[in-house]
Amino acid sequence: MGTRTFRTAVVRTPGGPDAIEVIDVPQREPGAGEVRVDVAAAPVNPVDLGVVGGFFHSLGLIHQPHHTGLGWDFAGVVTAAGPGVDLAVGTRVAGLVVGFDRDFGTYAEQLVVPAADLAVVPDDLDLVAAATVPLNGLAAAQVVDLLGDPPADGGRLLVTGAAGAVGGYVLALASARGWRVTGLARAGDEKFVRGLGAGFTTAAEPGWDAVADAAAWQERALALVRDGGVLVGVRPNARPAAERGVTVRVIETRADRVRLADLLARTAAGELPARVHAVLPLDRAADAHREAAKGGVRGRYVLRP
């Protein structure tokens, strides 16, 4: 009997969407604490465009000898479980695979991952929508954790990139934390931003108590924070230098089963946005990257293996 294989999208030599290949790799059985998941959906995120384009290779963060896996988050169904696992075969789950330097990713027909990193998907949330939550939802939750509670003498928070995948979650989560939130976005995104309970602006002046820089404006965002305020960024490899007594914090997204379960439940309840722009088969991963690179899309391209 031959070795069982499955299909996955990888990049050997980065060079943009044309560098993406779909290859066959051997199936692996789950070990202790692991499960194998048949992937139902895997979103295309900006970080994936950076991997395919060679940005993270140029920073020395990727050293794979043969190929680099693509994709960070996913949703699917458990098909096999190793010893010590509390997830039954047939359970619908979503999760996050972190780190740049790996030969596997979520653009795949299946994954073997630690069960402790997965959250169960609510019955009333479809797997395509659920797949868009882990990376951006957990990033936004960490942004809000780093912001903390609003100060008693002021709680004005500006969110850059407020209509983007991370920014949209920050709007809702920070409002629930007690911040008085204003979203900075394009004029065409006003309805979406206000629909999440936030104020809206297309231009911002300095003086905010805190800025959540979901758009990765970096120093431009820092300039909008009042003296002694807080800036939370989303690029762990590029922390702006603090000035004027501003506290600068930067997220480093990680798997969090409990927090992800809460985010999925809130998405199922309609409290958080599930934004899917289009669903494409795995074979069209390169097309999804080309379209995503054009920008301006409010929602994710999602690959269905």
Side-chain angles (χ1 to χ4, degrees):
M1 183 175 178
T3 301
R4 292 184 177 180
T5 63
F6 65 93
R7 298 164 69 243
T8 185
V10 302
V11 60
R12 300 181 197 272
T13 302
D18 289 340
I20 298 174
E21 302 177 50
V22 177
I23 64 173
D24 292 311
V25 295
Q27 184 183 86
R28 183 168 77 82
E29 294 302 315
E34 295 181 326
V35 295
R36 186 169 65 236
V37 177
D38 274 3
V39 177
V44 174
N45 290 291
V47 65
D48 300 312
L49 275 61
V51 172
V52 169
F55 176 72
F56 298 104
H57 293 75
S58 70
L59 295 178
L61 298 177
I62 298 177
H63 305 281
Q64 290 299 313
H66 303 298
H67 61 255
T68 302
L70 301 174
W72 286 60
D73 44 359
F74 67 96
V77 178
V78 175
T79 57
V85 169
D86 60 357
L87 292 172
V89 170
T91 303
R92 302 186 330 137
V93 295
L96 177 67
V97 175
V98 298
F100 297 98
D101 196 18
R102 47 185 165 83
D103 64 358
F104 70 98
T106 64
Y107 292 12
E109 292 177 330
Q110 58 184 241
L111 285 169
V112 173
V113 289
D117 291 347
L118 304 181
V120 175
V121 176
D123 291 339
D124 49 354
L125 184 63
D126 73 78
L127 291 176
V128 171
T132 67
V133 175
L135 179 59
N136 298 301
L138 288 171
Q142 190 178 0
V143 167
V144 176
D145 286 346
L146 292 176
L147 286 168
D149 294 327
D153 59 346
R156 296 175 63 248
L157 169 67
L158 179 72
V159 180
T160 69
V166 174
Y169 284 118
V170 173
L171 294 178
L173 295 173
S175 293
R177 189 77 177 251
W179 288 90
R180 290 182 287 123
V181 183
T182 297
L184 176 61
R186 299 174 184 175
D189 294 315
E190 181 174 1
K191 181 178 180 181
F192 171 78
V193 171
R194 292 194 184 279
L196 290 171
F200 174 79
T201 185
T202 57
E205 297 295 325
W208 297 86
D209 297 309
V211 173
D213 186 24
W217 277 12
Q218 303 293 92
E219 285 75 14
R220 289 170 61 197
L222 180 63
L224 297 172
V225 184
R226 67 164 172 81
D227 293 359
V230 177
L231 172 72
V232 178
V234 296
R235 292 183 59 187
N237 59 319
R239 178 193 298 262
E243 60 180 43
R244 300 179 289 106
V246 174
T247 299
V248 177
R249 300 172 180 142
V250 182
I251 68 168
E252 189 162 347
T253 307
R254 55 189 176 273
D256 185 331
R257 182 182 196 175
V258 174
R259 179 60 66 84
L260 178 55
D262 176 66
L263 293 167
L264 291 167
R266 296 176 70 172
T267 304
E271 298 172 17
L272 296 175
R275 302 162 74 192
V276 177
H277 180 73
V279 180
L280 298 175
L282 181 64
D283 288 331
R284 293 188 60 193
D287 291 335
H289 273 239
R290 291 186 191 96
E291 292 303 312
K294 294 177 182 177
V297 173
R298 297 307 182 220
R300 286 286 178 251
Y301 285 90
V302 179
L303 300 176
R304 191 191 294 275

